[in-house]
Amino acid sequence: MEPVERLYLDALMEDPAVPGHSLRPQLLAGARARRRPAAPTAPWAEPFAGRVAAMDALLASAVDDDWSRVIVEGWTLQELVAHLAAKDGLLAASVGAPVLGPPLGATSAVGRTSDVQAYERARSPEQTRRDWRAQADALCRHLAGLSPDTPATLDGMSAAVRDHVLARCLETWVHTDDAARTARVRLPHPVPEHIHPTADLCARLLPWTMLLSGLDGSGRTVLLTLTGDGGGEWHVPLGGEGSGVLELDAWREGDGWRRADARITADVVSFCFLLGGRGDPSSFAADLSGDLSLARDVLSSAPALSGP
């Protein structure tokens, strides 16, 4: 009988076997039958489609007790899935994709989440799962015809749709991990090709998380090195000029070798989760050098954009 970990990998269209323990093995045959691969979409949106398929594979093994268990933010698993559907629907509305669920009224993440959760509470958990997956897949299919630079607005924040989709990828990844930890299931990380663009978004967000935290990094830079599969190195100007963030090779070629004010080296997955609101910045495992006060400010402000 395949473990839940293998179901997760199958959902991502991966082949390698992942060793691990089986959880509730009597449920896995049914879960395997109900899993679905990632929806077809644009290559730049595949990290999000993969996280959706991974979450769906995890939900396929859930039973009644799982759906009613509180996961995060005081939400049960069913309410958490409704929250994901709500935010996916708001992005869908911004780019002209179908919006499923209750009629679109509130356009803030908090308001739409409340509306969709109220709607889904009257439905079965399996219906909620299907509604969320249908919304995410409808968005993915629509993205296949869009340029990644298409403007989009979600919860008052305007950016290229590619960045909003990567943010949806990160949130879905984080909440999949929330649900898995509550169920005591060990899941593998995404493939490196999906981790790297997500880490790139996190690096480019650092100037904005600093500003939102009331910290002025103008004129200063940090060299961010993220280790592990999917990692890389980024030169990050901290003055709110996110377009100036470059991966290290581009920095060398475009601007010459300039000394960064501070250097931060950390695990790529842990850093993505820090930006996603998981982990304590004060105890975050990282090697710091240069201006240590600046490096600590970068880490302390990193979760500023995370939310429910």
Side-chain angles (χ1 to χ4, degrees), residues 125-201:
E126 185 59 29
Q127 287 175 315
T128 299
R129 176 196 171 205
R130 288 199 300 267
D131 289 351
W132 157 74
R133 182 66 196 261
Q135 177 64 83
D137 284 358
L139 174 59
C140 285
R141 287 191 293 269
H142 186 79
L143 294 172
L146 294 184
S147 163
D149 297 323
T150 300
T153 301
L154 178 57
D155 211 20
M157 297 186 65
S158 297
V161 67
R162 177 177 184 170
D163 285 349
H164 278 299
V165 170
L166 287 171
R168 299 303 311 126
C169 167
L170 177 59
E171 181 170 5
T172 305
W173 181 13
V174 167
H175 284 322
T176 300
D177 185 74
D178 290 336
R181 287 178 181 274
T182 302
R184 298 182 181 179
V185 176
R186 180 177 58 82
L187 297 178
H189 298 314
V191 295
E193 295 80 4
H194 292 179
I195 292 176
H196 186 77
T198 309
D200 180 72
L201 173 69

Side-chain angles (χ1 to χ4, degrees), residues 72-73 170 174-175 177-178 181 267 269-286 296 298-307:
V72 68
E73 300 292 334
L170 177 59
V174 167
H175 284 322
D177 185 74
D178 290 336
R181 287 178 181 274
D267 173 74
V269 172
S270 298
F271 189 78
C272 288
F273 271 58
L274 182 68
L275 269 286
R278 300 297 180 270
D280 181 358
S282 66
S283 59
F284 182 72
R296 293 188 188 104
V298 170
L299 293 179
S300 67
S301 65
L305 283 167
S306 66

Side-chain angles (χ1 to χ4, degrees), residues 13-32:
M13 308 294 287
E14 296 180 44
D15 187 38
V18 176
H21 64 280
S22 292
L23 182 74
R24 295 185 297 243
Q26 70 275 16
L27 300 173
L28 294 181
R32 191 164 55 247

Side-chain angles (χ1 to χ4, degrees), residues 23-63:
L23 182 74
R24 295 185 297 243
Q26 70 275 16
L27 300 173
L28 294 181
R32 191 164 55 247
R34 296 193 301 275
R35 78 188 189 277
R36 288 185 289 164
T41 191
W44 51 267
E46 286 177 357
F48 170 61
R51 291 307 88 216
V52 169
M55 179 66 151
D56 200 34
L58 178 66
L59 296 177
S61 66
V63 294

